[in-house]
Each structure stands twice: as C-alpha cells, then as structure tokens.
Amino acid sequence: MSDPRPKKVLVTGGAGYVGSVVAAHLLEAGHRVTVLDDLSTGFRDGVPEGADFVEGRVQDAAKVLDTTYDAVLHFAASSQVGESVVHPEKYWRNNVAGTLDLLTAMRDTGVRRLVFSSTAATYGEPKSVPITEDDPALPTNPYGASKLAVDHMITSEAVAHGLAAVSLRYFNVAGAYGAFGERHDPESHLIPLVLQVAQGRREAISVFGDDYPTPDGTCVRDYIHVADLAEAHLLAVDAPAPGEHLICNLGNGNGFSVREVVETVRRVTGHPVPEVVAPRRGGDPAVLVASAERAKERLGWRPSRTDLDDIVRDAWTFAQDLQNREGSK
C-alpha cells in the first residue's frame, strides 16, 4: 500500500529525459527532491524548479545521502547500445560499479528503498511476445548486460541487507511532459529522429529493413508515454516489502511498426517525411511488445496515454519549443 506521506528522495540522473519527468511528478506529489547529475548527457534546465541540484556522478552519492532520505530513484547510466559494443568498459564502470557505490552509500546511511531504471534490453532476442518478466534474460549487448548485472546486484542487496527495491524494465519511452522531453545527443530513438525530419533538420528517416515478418515488413515496438512511465515510478517507491526485489515491465502492450510511426508523424505535424529503406541492423528483433500485467497487479499501475497520435503530438510540441528556444539564443 502506498504511503501518502511526503518523502525526501534522491533522483540520480534527474537532469536527463526520464529522470526529469519523474522528478517533476515527485515534486507535484509533494515530495522533497534532490537531483544528482553530472550533466554529461542531461541538461541543467531539465532539473525541475523546486528540486535541489547537486552536480556530480552517481559515485558521489555518499556525499549527498544521509539518514534523512527515504528513497532513491536511480536513472544515472550510460545508455547507448552501439557505444556499449565499442566501449563496454564505460558501461561496466558507470552502470555497474557506479550502482555498487550507490548501494553502499544507501546501506551506510540506512536508506532502504530503491527504484531502478532498467530496460527491455535485458531480454535480448525474445522467444515469444508479449514479453513477461519470467522470460529468459539473455542480453545481446553490453548495455543490456550491465543493466542485468545491476538487477542481480540489487537482488543480492535485498536478500542480504533488507533493501526494498523495484526494477522497472522500460520498452520504448516516448512523448514529453510540459517542458521536459527527449533531446539526446546523438539521438538514436525513432520518434525524435522522425520529428527532426519533419522539422527540416534531417533530409530523410532511414527505415532499417522492410522485409520483417510483420504486417508492413518493418519492426514493431511497444511505445510508452513518459508521463505514464513516471507515474509507475511513484507507485513503485512503496510497493516492495523489505528484502524484496520486484521486477516489472513497463509498456503499453500495443505494438506500432516503424512505418506506422512515420505515418503518424506525417499526420500529426502536417509535414512530409521522406524515408529511405536501408539494410537491417544486426540484432534488431522483428517484434518487441511488453506484458505489463505484473506492474498492473503489484503497482496498481494503468497506462492512460496509449494512443500513438497523442504520444507523438506531445513529443512534437516539445521538439518545436526546443527548436524555438535554441533559435532564439
């Protein structure tokens, strides 16, 4: 059962895309928020007004945490799949060793609640869809492997030291929440890339493979609105018992193909979006769709923004606002 009392929480990586939206939701719910972020991929203006900000890495958590904190929501991580293949050492250092330092700081200060930002990349190539938490976790790249390693680490911490923890395995996060949206550099996610074409910032969108065993031949993915995702994090803080590590998928349960996303962007923006078919990328499964039944059962979570048009429309509004802000500098 959720505890309605305000909490003091540390949000690592709270200047990034998902972390900033979650921090905003926490503040709106009346919680006290400290954001810890080194701004290597996040943005100072992504820290919501009302949050305390400490510039630093997750390894610096011991300098921030004390006995007055109730929980940690952990988003700080390196998250580029391609980069992880070329520089795996960065992912073991930042994601795994960094989280170990965080868990040590939490244990030393008696902070016993953790919500961890995990990923569907822990599953690798799925054997069936929709994917459940009981399916084999066989990651196909160092990024997914590093997140799975952290999940194992958290389980050990829960069993040995009474941590109450939830790992939330995201599928494709999209959309925006007011002033907080997606602006990775480099950008690798489909919806913002297609929006850049609509803005005239790219000539065309590359469709990697149009011969998959799907209705239109392109890959199918499960897109979840970032605000729905944020609401799951707030529910997750109080969900586990001490000594429990709960793992939940987060997705909307619907799959949309690459071509459906492109066509939705054309419809929402009113702009042409040229596309170029390119060869398949290695390791791209034909279909990735989540079963989020455990999150619904254990967290009481229900995604409410499942329409692709609405997801794209919110992302488009943010992209336009961001382009205007950058153009006025």
Side-chain angles (χ1 to χ4, degrees), residues 155-240:
T155 297
S156 300
E157 185 74 17
V159 171
H161 302 295
L163 182 70
V166 180
S167 289
L168 298 175
R169 290 179 174 171
Y170 313 161
F171 281 64
N172 288 53
V173 187
Y177 184 70
F180 308 106
E182 197 165 7
R183 43 175 165 163
H184 301 115
D185 184 19
E187 186 56 72
S188 60
H189 294 167
L190 178 61
I191 288 178
L193 286 173
V194 183
L195 291 175
Q196 288 178 9
V197 179
Q199 288 179 314
R201 297 169 61 190
R202 290 177 179 268
E203 290 187 2
I205 188 68
S206 294
V207 176
F208 294 101
D210 63 352
D211 58 350
Y212 285 92
T214 60
D216 66 14
T218 64
C219 289
V220 172
R221 297 291 183 264
D222 185 330
Y223 291 91
I224 177 173
H225 196 293
V226 67
D228 282 335
L229 192 82
E231 290 166 4
H233 286 75
L234 270 65
L235 293 168
V237 172
D238 292 313

Side-chain angles (χ1 to χ4, degrees), residues 54-327:
V54 177
E55 186 170 348
R57 305 175 67 205
V58 66
Q59 289 88 342
D60 299 320
K63 301 175 183 177
V64 181
L65 282 175
D66 57 39
T67 58
T68 66
Y69 281 86
D70 299 295
V72 173
L73 290 90
H74 179 32
F75 302 92
S78 299
S79 61
Q80 296 290 331
V81 170
E83 181 189 56
S84 78
V85 175
V86 179
H87 297 293
E89 67 282 359
K90 177 180 178 179
Y91 285 70
W92 297 115
R93 183 181 304 113
N94 290 351
N95 298 359
V96 180
T99 303
L100 180 60
D101 289 341
L102 173 64
L103 290 173
T104 301
M106 291 178 65
R107 191 184 325 119
D108 289 346
T109 53
V111 181
R112 297 286 76 197
R113 290 201 167 270
L114 172 70
V115 180
F116 173 56
S117 169
S118 191
T119 172
T122 55
Y123 294 112
E125 297 273 358
K127 304 301 180 186
S128 61
V129 290
I131 300 168
T132 74
E133 295 85 354
D134 295 323
D135 285 329
L138 301 169
T140 57
N141 54 70
Y143 166 62
S146 72
K147 289 285 192 172
L148 182 60
V150 171
D151 278 341
H152 288 307
M153 192 188 308
I154 292 171
T155 297
S156 300
E157 185 74 17
V159 171
H161 302 295
L163 182 70
V166 180
S167 289
L168 298 175
R169 290 179 174 171
Y170 313 161
F171 281 64
N172 288 53
V173 187
Y177 184 70
F180 308 106
E182 197 165 7
R183 43 175 165 163
H184 301 115
D185 184 19
E187 186 56 72
S188 60
H189 294 167
L190 178 61
I191 288 178
L193 286 173
V194 183
L195 291 175
Q196 288 178 9
V197 179
Q199 288 179 314
R201 297 169 61 190
R202 290 177 179 268
E203 290 187 2
I205 188 68
S206 294
V207 176
F208 294 101
D210 63 352
D211 58 350
Y212 285 92
T214 60
D216 66 14
T218 64
C219 289
V220 172
R221 297 291 183 264
D222 185 330
Y223 291 91
I224 177 173
H225 196 293
V226 67
D228 282 335
L229 192 82
E231 290 166 4
H233 286 75
L234 270 65
L235 293 168
V237 172
D238 292 313
E244 180 183 16
H245 179 206
L246 176 64
I247 296 175
C248 294
N249 291 338
L250 292 183
N252 72 24
N254 296 313
F256 301 99
S257 73
V258 172
R259 285 227 162 97
E260 285 180 293
V261 170
V262 173
E263 186 54 43
T264 300
V265 170
R266 290 175 179 140
R267 183 169 58 250
V268 167
T269 67
H271 289 274
V273 178
E275 61 181 75
V276 177
V277 177
R280 290 188 184 190
R281 295 180 299 193
D284 264 352
V287 180
L288 286 178
V289 177
S291 167
E293 293 306 309
R294 182 181 292 178
K296 294 174 182 177
E297 177 184 344
R298 289 297 310 273
L299 307 182
W301 174 74
R302 293 289 187 280
S304 61
R305 306 163 182 87
T306 57
D307 183 77
L308 186 59
D309 283 58
D310 292 339
I311 293 172
V312 169
R313 189 174 294 110
D314 287 348
W316 175 241
T317 298
F318 174 80
Q320 291 288 81
D321 289 345
L322 181 62
Q323 189 175 43
N324 291 336
R325 292 201 305 269
E326 291 176 345

